[in-house]
Amino acid sequence: MASFERFDDMCDLRLKPKILRNLLSEYVPNEKQPLVNFQSLSKVVSSISTHKLLSEDQKLQAKSKSAVDEWVERLFALVSSDMPDKSWVGIVLIGVTCQECSSDRFFSSYSVWFNSLLSHIKDPESSRIVRVASCTSVSDLLTRLSRFANTKKDAVSHAAKVILPIIKLLEEDSSEALWEGIVRLLSTIVILFPAAFHSSYDKVEEVIASKIFSAKTSSIMLKRFAHFLALLPKANKGDTTSWSLMMQKLLISINVHLNNFFQGLEEENIGKKAIQRLAPPGKDAPLPLGGQNGSLDDAAWNSEQLIVSRVSALMYCSSVMLTSSYKCKLNIPVGSLLSLVERVLAVNGSLPKAMSPFMTGIQQEFVCAELPTLHSSALELLCATIKSIRSQLLPYAAFVVRLVSSYFKKCLLPELRIKLYTITKTLLKSMGLGMAMQLAEEIVSNASVDLDPTRVEGSDVVSTTILKPCSKKRKHSTNSGVEAENAAFEVGVPHSHSSSPISLKIAALEALETLLTTGGALRSNSWRERVDKLLMMTARNACEGRWTNAETYHHVTNKSTADLVEFQVAALRAFLASLVSPSRARPAFLAEGLELFQTGKSQGKMEVAGFCAHALMSLEAVIHPRALPLDGLPSLSDQFPQSDSLKHSTPNLNNGFARYGDDLVKEWSANVDVPSNNNEIQRTVDSTLPLQEAKRLKRGDDLATVVSLSGQDHTDIIGSENVQQADVPMNVLKSPKESLGHVSDKDDMAPEEVNPEVVSGTQEREGLSVKDSLMEEAVDGKKRESLDESDDDSIPSLKADDYLSSDSDIES
């Protein structure tokens, strides 16, 4: 009986040659075997990549080399086959081999492989699928070849041999699949070997421009051609002059197209001035994009849709040029770019009175149908311009602010408003506080409209006030619960054309989050209170009742659970930014935020719960500032000279005590019955606090106490206590709002005006034992005299700047 070879495990090196030979015998056909299944190639490629079957390990050099030799011989036989399907299989696997084989084998064989692939590209008898596969495999080969430092000259020579044959194919063949393969190969050569284009640069630019201006090019291929055209200046010396010349050609071509498209919609001198501004001073304007053949025929000019598609492609090309990295410094024509954006956004489809007789209603209809696409491209170009120069936009900042503000007022389409919010975020991130001062009111006013719960698309955000009129109707209804819930949406939410989709609401929330992060510390921020309340209401409406039953909202058209979860996360992130953003007062809605994040952590979807856990950790610095500056705060040693252990037991007061917290501290000092030694202090702690809290005090940990009270009129009580705090009466928390840090006009009221029912209710909820003698002294008239005498020893209230805040993340 024959003995079988045993292997250690799946990583045994002896397995590789056997697996490779099995793949050859089962999935890779030979000259006589037919190709059974094209999908089997995916298993071959996956196995080679997973097990590194072509790596040729040194420990098994003979067996590994023998197996890889068999593999390469089989592939060459397939590449030379007269059958297109077998030739295609061999070419595809040659590309995989270029990526996975050892360095020694690739270095010794790449020239042979390259010539074999190039012959298929040049051969007019080759099928399209073979040519497409050849372009892809040549791209893989050149990418691997670029990693060898000692073959740079030879690599540039090989890359230059490919350019003219594939440009010829681009002109002759009309297959977009082949065009896509050619553009990918050209892009690879531009990035890796730009010197290969030196002798054919003008020819390549002319052919690519002709494809962009062709009426037969689809919108997808237009974008790919435009992307390659943006990379082409790197191949023409790659200096500032090459980049500026291409940008100048693009802007001239765009304005020439707009002159035809905006005819009758704007004054005639606007287009002429735009082109004159692009000409260099004292020089003639450069040739149009693509050289002398870059102009269009009359038939192509008559289609508004084709003009807009070309202009959009050229604007996209300009945006890629602005945001791509270059080795040299660039002279960006900011004024020309902003003027172009302003020209496009100024046309909204309305006819000037002087031009009305020269345009028919059908022409105006076609123009208005294509204007949103044109405006969208102009906004993307504006965003790319801002990203490219960042803070250097300062000389044009006023112009950009005026442009964005004016377009916000007349922009109604959600897609365009989303792009506007993106532009505002980019401006805030690029220019910081100064831009926040200029755009704050504009962002807040527009976001307030877009986040209005009465302006919804379907039922993505439903305010509790909207559903109230439906509650009575639900009581008398005989329908089931689901039908009653659906009826609430139909009755409560108006179906209006001014609906705000979820994507627009998310964009508005992100803009507000960026505004709070950038300009939250402004002293004259009159908008801050409105934003805080708006974000609190939006987060609550987005999440309450929807933590675990988001699936019940699938009846809303074109909405999914993922959309609702994304909106919930965006609302919670903006609300967190409101709570931790720098402010002159303690966060007004901290209690609501803690309750919302705590509920979301335990009941929300996975993404929501994860963010809520992060939010609770971020709020730790606001709830319990561990790095609070203690220098300069007076101690209670003057009041209790017999107890040295109380020197560091001064309570950490927050801004919740506002105006008259100092008087309350004096009230504590005058009335607290301090035990005579540390043992009595410890017994007091053990008797007045729960067991778990008493143990924490014994360890010396700082406490951040959050007591959540269930009830409609109850509010979370937030305070911070120190180690070994004395038995202090809880009547210092005069009202729940003050304990949360709310700062309002009511802060100026005297302690006598505080409702005594609130004080008693607080005492009952906390369960602290308060001595009768202290309660009697609290209302005694003699206490006022002791307060007047101790004015100099009062402890000042801490300001909002004393608390740590965590900045929200800025996006990209």
mmCIF file of all heavy atoms in Angstrom, residues 650-672:
data_model
loop_
_atom_site.group_PDB
_atom_site.id
_atom_site.type_symbol
_atom_site.label_atom_id
_atom_site.label_comp_id
_atom_site.label_asym_id
_atom_site.label_seq_id
_atom_site.Cartn_x
_atom_site.Cartn_y
_atom_site.Cartn_z
ATOM 1 N N THR A 650 -13.085 71.722 50.563
ATOM 2 C CA THR A 650 -13.938 72.755 49.973
ATOM 3 C C THR A 650 -14.692 72.172 48.792
ATOM 4 O O THR A 650 -14.099 71.569 47.915
ATOM 5 C CB THR A 650 -13.091 73.930 49.495
ATOM 6 O OG1 THR A 650 -12.325 74.404 50.599
ATOM 7 C CG2 THR A 650 -13.972 75.051 48.958
ATOM 8 N N PRO A 651 -16.005 72.332 48.739
ATOM 9 C CA PRO A 651 -16.765 71.746 47.628
ATOM 10 C C PRO A 651 -16.366 72.391 46.313
ATOM 11 O O PRO A 651 -16.105 73.577 46.230
ATOM 12 C CB PRO A 651 -18.229 72.066 47.985
ATOM 13 C CG PRO A 651 -18.216 72.409 49.443
ATOM 14 C CD PRO A 651 -16.867 72.985 49.722
ATOM 15 N N ASN A 652 -16.335 71.555 45.246
ATOM 16 C CA ASN A 652 -16.102 72.057 43.890
ATOM 17 C C ASN A 652 -17.414 72.573 43.333
ATOM 18 O O ASN A 652 -18.247 71.807 42.863
ATOM 19 C CB ASN A 652 -15.565 70.948 42.977
ATOM 20 C CG ASN A 652 -14.145 70.609 43.311
ATOM 21 O OD1 ASN A 652 -13.450 71.429 43.876
ATOM 22 N ND2 ASN A 652 -13.728 69.407 42.949
ATOM 23 N N LEU A 653 -17.608 73.860 43.409
ATOM 24 C CA LEU A 653 -18.879 74.432 42.956
ATOM 25 C C LEU A 653 -18.867 74.602 41.457
ATOM 26 O O LEU A 653 -17.863 74.957 40.874
ATOM 27 C CB LEU A 653 -19.107 75.790 43.621
ATOM 28 C CG LEU A 653 -19.117 75.780 45.150
ATOM 29 C CD1 LEU A 653 -19.320 77.184 45.663
ATOM 30 C CD2 LEU A 653 -20.175 74.850 45.680
ATOM 31 N N ASN A 654 -19.999 74.381 40.805
ATOM 32 C CA ASN A 654 -20.113 74.643 39.378
ATOM 33 C C ASN A 654 -20.927 75.901 39.165
ATOM 34 O O ASN A 654 -21.404 76.524 40.105
ATOM 35 C CB ASN A 654 -20.748 73.455 38.642
ATOM 36 C CG ASN A 654 -22.085 73.063 39.240
ATOM 37 O OD1 ASN A 654 -22.801 73.917 39.743
ATOM 38 N ND2 ASN A 654 -22.429 71.783 39.181
ATOM 39 N N ASN A 655 -21.095 76.267 37.922
ATOM 40 C CA ASN A 655 -21.809 77.505 37.612
ATOM 41 C C ASN A 655 -23.299 77.390 37.862
ATOM 42 O O ASN A 655 -24.037 78.325 37.620
ATOM 43 C CB ASN A 655 -21.586 77.887 36.147
ATOM 44 C CG ASN A 655 -20.214 78.479 35.955
ATOM 45 O OD1 ASN A 655 -19.527 78.743 36.925
ATOM 46 N ND2 ASN A 655 -19.827 78.683 34.708
ATOM 47 N N GLY A 656 -23.753 76.217 38.288
ATOM 48 C CA GLY A 656 -25.173 76.071 38.579
ATOM 49 C C GLY A 656 -25.631 76.965 39.710
ATOM 50 O O GLY A 656 -26.813 77.280 39.833
ATOM 51 N N PHE A 657 -24.719 77.378 40.591
ATOM 52 C CA PHE A 657 -25.119 78.260 41.686
ATOM 53 C C PHE A 657 -25.149 79.715 41.259
ATOM 54 O O PHE A 657 -25.581 80.575 42.035
ATOM 55 C CB PHE A 657 -24.163 78.076 42.863
ATOM 56 C CG PHE A 657 -24.152 76.686 43.381
ATOM 57 C CD1 PHE A 657 -23.000 75.925 43.294
ATOM 58 C CD2 PHE A 657 -25.283 76.121 43.910
ATOM 59 C CE1 PHE A 657 -22.986 74.638 43.764
ATOM 60 C CE2 PHE A 657 -25.278 74.830 44.375
ATOM 61 C CZ PHE A 657 -24.134 74.077 44.302
ATOM 62 N N ALA A 658 -24.619 80.019 40.031
ATOM 63 C CA ALA A 658 -24.793 81.330 39.402
ATOM 64 C C ALA A 658 -24.460 82.457 40.348
ATOM 65 O O ALA A 658 -23.353 82.594 40.820
ATOM 66 C CB ALA A 658 -26.201 81.436 38.867
ATOM 67 N N ARG A 659 -25.461 83.315 40.656
ATOM 68 C CA ARG A 659 -25.199 84.601 41.329
ATOM 69 C C ARG A 659 -25.003 84.465 42.833
ATOM 70 O O ARG A 659 -24.108 85.063 43.396
ATOM 71 C CB ARG A 659 -26.363 85.542 41.067
ATOM 72 C CG ARG A 659 -26.707 85.655 39.588
ATOM 73 C CD ARG A 659 -25.892 86.704 38.940
ATOM 74 N NE ARG A 659 -26.211 86.854 37.546
ATOM 75 C CZ ARG A 659 -25.826 87.842 36.793
ATOM 76 N NH1 ARG A 659 -25.069 88.787 37.304
ATOM 77 N NH2 ARG A 659 -26.143 87.898 35.512
ATOM 78 N N TYR A 660 -25.921 83.728 43.482
ATOM 79 C CA TYR A 660 -25.929 83.760 44.939
ATOM 80 C C TYR A 660 -25.357 82.479 45.540
ATOM 81 O O TYR A 660 -25.646 82.133 46.668
ATOM 82 C CB TYR A 660 -27.347 83.967 45.477
ATOM 83 C CG TYR A 660 -28.351 82.971 45.007
ATOM 84 C CD1 TYR A 660 -28.626 81.812 45.733
ATOM 85 C CD2 TYR A 660 -29.042 83.171 43.812
ATOM 86 C CE1 TYR A 660 -29.540 80.896 45.290
ATOM 87 C CE2 TYR A 660 -29.962 82.260 43.373
ATOM 88 C CZ TYR A 660 -30.216 81.121 44.116
ATOM 89 O OH TYR A 660 -31.149 80.223 43.668
ATOM 90 N N GLY A 661 -24.476 81.784 44.798
ATOM 91 C CA GLY A 661 -23.838 80.599 45.366
ATOM 92 C C GLY A 661 -22.919 80.959 46.521
ATOM 93 O O GLY A 661 -22.717 80.168 47.440
ATOM 94 N N ASP A 662 -22.346 82.168 46.498
ATOM 95 C CA ASP A 662 -21.448 82.572 47.580
ATOM 96 C C ASP A 662 -22.189 82.649 48.908
ATOM 97 O O ASP A 662 -21.694 82.222 49.948
ATOM 98 C CB ASP A 662 -20.828 83.921 47.260
ATOM 99 C CG ASP A 662 -20.029 83.858 45.964
ATOM 100 O OD1 ASP A 662 -19.759 82.727 45.515
ATOM 101 O OD2 ASP A 662 -19.694 84.917 45.433
ATOM 102 N N ASP A 663 -23.409 83.210 48.858
ATOM 103 C CA ASP A 663 -24.173 83.311 50.102
ATOM 104 C C ASP A 663 -24.528 81.933 50.645
ATOM 105 O O ASP A 663 -24.568 81.718 51.853
ATOM 106 C CB ASP A 663 -25.448 84.118 49.859
ATOM 107 C CG ASP A 663 -25.135 85.540 49.452
ATOM 108 O OD1 ASP A 663 -24.046 86.025 49.832
ATOM 109 O OD2 ASP A 663 -25.964 86.159 48.760
ATOM 110 N N LEU A 664 -24.774 80.980 49.746
ATOM 111 C CA LEU A 664 -25.122 79.639 50.205
ATOM 112 C C LEU A 664 -23.932 78.984 50.890
ATOM 113 O O LEU A 664 -24.072 78.250 51.859
ATOM 114 C CB LEU A 664 -25.571 78.788 49.013
ATOM 115 C CG LEU A 664 -26.855 79.267 48.318
ATOM 116 C CD1 LEU A 664 -27.142 78.409 47.100
ATOM 117 C CD2 LEU A 664 -28.024 79.209 49.280
ATOM 118 N N VAL A 665 -22.732 79.238 50.375
ATOM 119 C CA VAL A 665 -21.541 78.671 50.997
ATOM 120 C C VAL A 665 -21.363 79.224 52.403
ATOM 121 O O VAL A 665 -20.996 78.520 53.329
ATOM 122 C CB VAL A 665 -20.302 78.968 50.132
ATOM 123 C CG1 VAL A 665 -19.040 78.500 50.835
ATOM 124 C CG2 VAL A 665 -20.436 78.264 48.788
ATOM 125 N N LYS A 666 -21.650 80.529 52.556
ATOM 126 C CA LYS A 666 -21.568 81.103 53.908
ATOM 127 C C LYS A 666 -22.604 80.451 54.819
ATOM 128 O O LYS A 666 -22.377 80.228 56.008
ATOM 129 C CB LYS A 666 -21.805 82.603 53.849
ATOM 130 C CG LYS A 666 -20.815 83.356 52.962
ATOM 131 C CD LYS A 666 -21.294 84.770 52.779
ATOM 132 C CE LYS A 666 -20.572 85.418 51.610
ATOM 133 N NZ LYS A 666 -21.133 86.722 51.287
ATOM 134 N N GLU A 667 -23.766 80.136 54.217
ATOM 135 C CA GLU A 667 -24.817 79.506 55.013
ATOM 136 C C GLU A 667 -24.356 78.131 55.490
ATOM 137 O O GLU A 667 -24.638 77.727 56.614
ATOM 138 C CB GLU A 667 -26.065 79.387 54.137
ATOM 139 C CG GLU A 667 -27.328 79.050 54.903
ATOM 140 C CD GLU A 667 -28.528 79.128 53.979
ATOM 141 O OE1 GLU A 667 -28.555 80.038 53.150
ATOM 142 O OE2 GLU A 667 -29.417 78.286 54.100
ATOM 143 N N TRP A 668 -23.637 77.412 54.590
ATOM 144 C CA TRP A 668 -23.061 76.139 55.027
ATOM 145 C C TRP A 668 -22.090 76.357 56.190
ATOM 146 O O TRP A 668 -22.143 75.690 57.201
ATOM 147 C CB TRP A 668 -22.273 75.494 53.883
ATOM 148 C CG TRP A 668 -23.093 75.060 52.724
ATOM 149 C CD1 TRP A 668 -24.433 75.092 52.610
ATOM 150 C CD2 TRP A 668 -22.601 74.549 51.508
ATOM 151 N NE1 TRP A 668 -24.814 74.639 51.402
ATOM 152 C CE2 TRP A 668 -23.714 74.295 50.700
ATOM 153 C CE3 TRP A 668 -21.314 74.280 51.019
ATOM 154 C CZ2 TRP A 668 -23.585 73.775 49.425
ATOM 155 C CZ3 TRP A 668 -21.188 73.757 49.762
ATOM 156 C CH2 TRP A 668 -22.322 73.507 48.971
ATOM 157 N N SER A 669 -21.194 77.324 56.011
ATOM 158 C CA SER A 669 -20.125 77.522 56.986
ATOM 159 C C SER A 669 -20.679 77.876 58.355
ATOM 160 O O SER A 669 -20.109 77.518 59.381
ATOM 161 C CB SER A 669 -19.181 78.632 56.508
ATOM 162 O OG SER A 669 -18.685 78.318 55.229
ATOM 163 N N ALA A 670 -21.784 78.622 58.370
ATOM 164 C CA ALA A 670 -22.322 79.093 59.637
ATOM 165 C C ALA A 670 -23.119 78.033 60.363
ATOM 166 O O ALA A 670 -23.324 78.124 61.569
ATOM 167 C CB ALA A 670 -23.193 80.324 59.411
ATOM 168 N N ASN A 671 -23.606 77.019 59.665
ATOM 169 C CA ASN A 671 -24.572 76.119 60.269
ATOM 170 C C ASN A 671 -24.132 74.662 60.326
ATOM 171 O O ASN A 671 -24.816 73.846 60.915
ATOM 172 C CB ASN A 671 -25.898 76.192 59.498
ATOM 173 C CG ASN A 671 -26.534 77.570 59.598
ATOM 174 O OD1 ASN A 671 -27.115 77.925 60.604
ATOM 175 N ND2 ASN A 671 -26.393 78.344 58.532
ATOM 176 N N VAL A 672 -23.024 74.324 59.701
ATOM 177 C CA VAL A 672 -22.623 72.922 59.693
ATOM 178 C C VAL A 672 -22.060 72.547 61.056
ATOM 179 O O VAL A 672 -21.205 73.243 61.595
ATOM 180 C CB VAL A 672 -21.585 72.662 58.585
ATOM 181 C CG1 VAL A 672 -21.006 71.267 58.735
ATOM 182 C CG2 VAL A 672 -22.237 72.821 57.231
#
